[in-house]
Amino acid sequence: MNHIEENDYLLSLFKRSVLRIKDNDNQSGIVKGKSGLILVLLHYYSVHKEDKYLDIIQNYIDRLIEHWDNNFTFGYGITGLAWMLNIMKKLGLEYENSDEWIVELDTLLILECRCMINKNNFDYFNGASGLLFYFLSKDDVTLETKKLILEFIQGLEKNQEKESSFYYKLKENNLEQLVLNLGVPHGITGIILILLSIKEKNIVNLNFDSLIHYFVTKLFENENINNSEYYFAPTIRSDSNNYSRSVLAWCYGDLTSGYAIFKTGLLLNEEKYINIGLKILKDTTRRNDNHDEKLSLCHGYPSILCVYDELYRKTDDLVFYEAAKKWKVLIYDELIDAFARKNYKNKDIYSFCKNTSLFQGFPGLMLSILTNKDDKINEWKKCLLL
């Protein structure tokens, strides 16, 4: 089976999966919810121009807007749907009466984001970083968004060492331990990538390079110098210096930490960081360690492919081209093993195919291998903060 045949096969699987989804889940986030499913439907429509899929999209959006559960987050709530509608608008497929609804929602989201900043919640999936990413993804950046960016930066400056989404307390055996998270959705690397996204946009008259330097330095201060297998662990317990296990994944470890260091070098014009970041990233191309959730975007192969694709686009280095090709082949091998050999009857595979989450279910997998650099719907990849 060649890759063209495999793509057709995957699309047919997707078509059957979508028509079977009949759950009553009204969440719309990118981690839990139907925003990912709608994005795949948009891709399917762009390829096959079947109007019935626009009708399915419309029905899903109607239900999500009418019955949303008052969760404002990007990972689990209405911000995921608002972000998806923004991508839909860029594709020239606006949802009816969405502009008025978005204006009202944005007012609420700005207030919610301020509340999250005041509570030191800078989380990407569940806090201020995710809401700020949504506002940064818009073509028009309003005065309110600029004010929000300034408050976000000031909030980070005031709370660098305090308990927050990247410093949190873990209670074990009646003892509390302070834990530092180094990953993307909940930790230091994510903060760096959000700050770099703000800098890349160049929309606020404020020099916050020192804040970026602070967090990159914090990353290096917690480098795993006692283990040659990896540079950065997902979490570190401050009182015991206990490092958690690291593998290749988007959500934590060397792949995105190396990318954050590399991108810092590019945007701050610091060759030192460019070279260090590239060394870490090239070291990852020789690794095959991975999380058990091989097909999910958050932990698995699809995001690894996306990161290497982006690195090749930025550097023209064939090392990253070959790495992307290797992980794409591994994805297809895993899929053939799961489906062609009838392993889809396996409970985990069956659950994965029914999971509408962009980051945990089949939408992230489908979009990562079926879209290419020329597809307008590739806008979705920006949620990986690349």
Side-chain angles (χ1 to χ4, degrees):
M1 185 184 290
N2 61 42
H3 279 194
I4 294 175
E5 292 171 332
E6 286 168 346
N7 283 352
D8 289 341
Y9 176 61
L10 289 173
L11 283 170
S12 69
L13 283 172
F14 157 70
K15 188 174 180 180
R16 293 200 299 273
S17 296
V18 168
L19 295 175
R20 288 173 183 165
I21 292 173
K22 302 198 182 287
D23 64 87
N24 295 314
D25 176 23
N26 293 321
Q27 287 184 277
S28 56
I30 61 171
V31 179
K32 189 170 179 57
K34 288 194 168 59
S35 293
L37 172 62
I38 297 172
L39 285 170
V40 183
L41 284 163
L42 286 172
H43 172 72
Y44 193 88
Y45 172 77
S46 70
V47 172
H48 292 276
K49 305 299 181 186
E50 295 184 30
D51 287 342
K52 68 177 179 179
Y53 286 94
L54 286 181
D55 294 336
I56 295 173
I57 290 170
Q58 180 87 18
N59 289 334
Y60 277 138
I61 295 173
D62 285 343
R63 195 176 84 185
L64 291 171
I65 287 176
E66 290 172 10
H67 302 288
W68 72 289
D69 60 358
N70 292 311
N71 186 317
F72 290 94
T73 66
F74 186 42
Y76 308 93
I78 202 68
T79 302
L81 179 63
W83 169 72
M84 190 286 305
L85 286 172
N86 189 41
I87 293 177
M88 195 171 173
K89 184 176 182 178
K90 290 181 180 183
L91 293 172
L93 297 168
E94 286 194 64
Y95 172 73
E96 186 179 355
N97 300 322
S98 65
D99 286 346
E100 183 178 342
W101 181 75
I102 286 292
V103 169
E104 293 177 2
L105 178 65
D106 283 0
T107 301
L108 293 173
L109 292 180
I110 287 171
L111 293 173
E112 185 68 19
C113 191
R114 287 199 172 107
C115 182
M116 290 171 172
I117 292 169
N118 290 334
K119 291 179 178 178
N120 301 336
N121 179 4
F122 301 101
D123 199 272
Y124 183 55
F125 284 160
N126 209 30
S129 290
L131 273 63
L132 186 60
F133 167 79
Y134 159 66
F135 286 111
L136 288 171
S137 69
K138 290 173 171 282
D139 290 333
D140 55 326
V141 179
T142 66
L143 179 60
E144 282 299 309
T145 298
K146 291 180 180 179
K147 289 180 181 177
L148 199 62
I149 290 169
L150 292 175
E151 290 174 33
F152 181 84
I153 290 170
Q154 290 166 357
L156 285 173
E157 288 174 339
K158 292 176 183 176
N159 296 283
Q160 292 170 354
E161 299 283 358
K162 295 180 181 178
E163 185 180 353
S164 64
S165 52
F166 44 90
Y167 278 107
Y168 63 95
K169 288 180 180 177
L170 180 68
K171 193 169 184 178
E172 285 185 347
N173 301 321
N174 295 319
L175 296 173
E176 284 188 341
Q177 296 188 43
L178 195 64
V179 178
L180 173 63
N181 192 304
L182 300 182
V184 179
H186 315 300
I188 293 289
T189 297
I191 295 296
I192 296 168
L193 290 172
I194 284 288
L195 290 172
L196 292 174
S197 296
I198 297 170
K199 186 171 182 65
E200 204 166 22
K201 282 273 187 177
N202 193 28
I203 53 178
V204 289
N205 185 24
L206 178 70
N207 186 337
F208 52 94
D209 289 2
S210 60
L211 186 62
I212 298 172
H213 276 119
Y214 168 82
F215 283 109
V216 173
T217 300
K218 180 61 65 175
L219 198 58
F220 282 123
E221 285 175 357
N222 291 280
E223 183 178 345
N224 184 22
I225 58 176
N226 297 319
N227 189 323
S228 60
E229 293 179 5
Y230 60 86
Y231 293 84
F232 300 104
T235 59
I236 300 172
R237 299 186 189 187
S238 57
D239 61 346
S240 61
N241 206 28
N242 187 2
Y243 291 70
S244 58
R245 176 175 174 263
S246 182
V247 295
L248 287 186
W250 171 82
C251 52
Y252 57 72
D254 296 345
L255 196 60
T256 39
S257 293
Y259 182 88
I261 294 165
F262 167 66
K263 189 172 181 179
T264 296
L266 290 179
L267 293 185
L268 272 58
N269 195 27
E270 297 195 24
E271 191 172 348
K272 174 184 71 172
Y273 286 148
I274 292 174
N275 292 336
I276 293 172
L278 284 176
K279 181 183 185 306
I280 293 169
L281 291 164
K282 287 184 177 182
D283 284 348
T284 66
T285 65
R286 295 187 286 271
R287 289 169 51 182
N288 292 303
D289 52 315
N290 54 72
H291 198 278
D292 291 339
E293 298 173 30
K294 296 179 182 179
L295 295 179
S296 75
L297 184 67
C298 190
H299 298 97
Y301 298 173
S303 56
I304 298 174
L305 166 64
C306 291
V307 174
Y308 287 135
D309 271 341
E310 180 64 14
L311 284 167
Y312 176 60
R313 189 185 71 80
K314 276 183 163 61
T315 65
D316 286 325
D317 194 322
L318 289 175
V319 169
F320 299 121
Y321 172 81
E322 293 297 331
K325 186 167 68 172
K326 178 185 84 172
W327 285 97
K328 191 164 189 176
V329 169
L330 287 171
I331 289 172
Y332 279 110
D333 288 345
E334 190 69 23
L335 283 168
I336 289 169
D337 182 62
F339 294 106
R341 296 177 187 171
K342 308 300 181 185
N343 286 344
Y344 61 83
K345 293 181 180 178
N346 177 285
K347 183 179 178 181
D348 291 337
I349 293 296
Y350 182 74
S351 297
F352 177 78
C353 290
K354 289 187 68 179
N355 189 331
T356 61
S357 163
L358 177 64
F359 272 77
Q360 295 180 338
F362 75 88
L365 166 69
M366 300 293 290
L367 287 167
S368 68
I369 58 179
L370 294 179
T371 55
N372 60 57
K373 64 181 179 180
D374 299 319
D375 289 333
K376 289 183 179 179
I377 203 170
N378 249 323
E379 183 79 13
W380 75 269
K381 289 185 180 178
K382 291 182 180 178
C383 73
L384 294 171
L385 299 178
L386 301 178

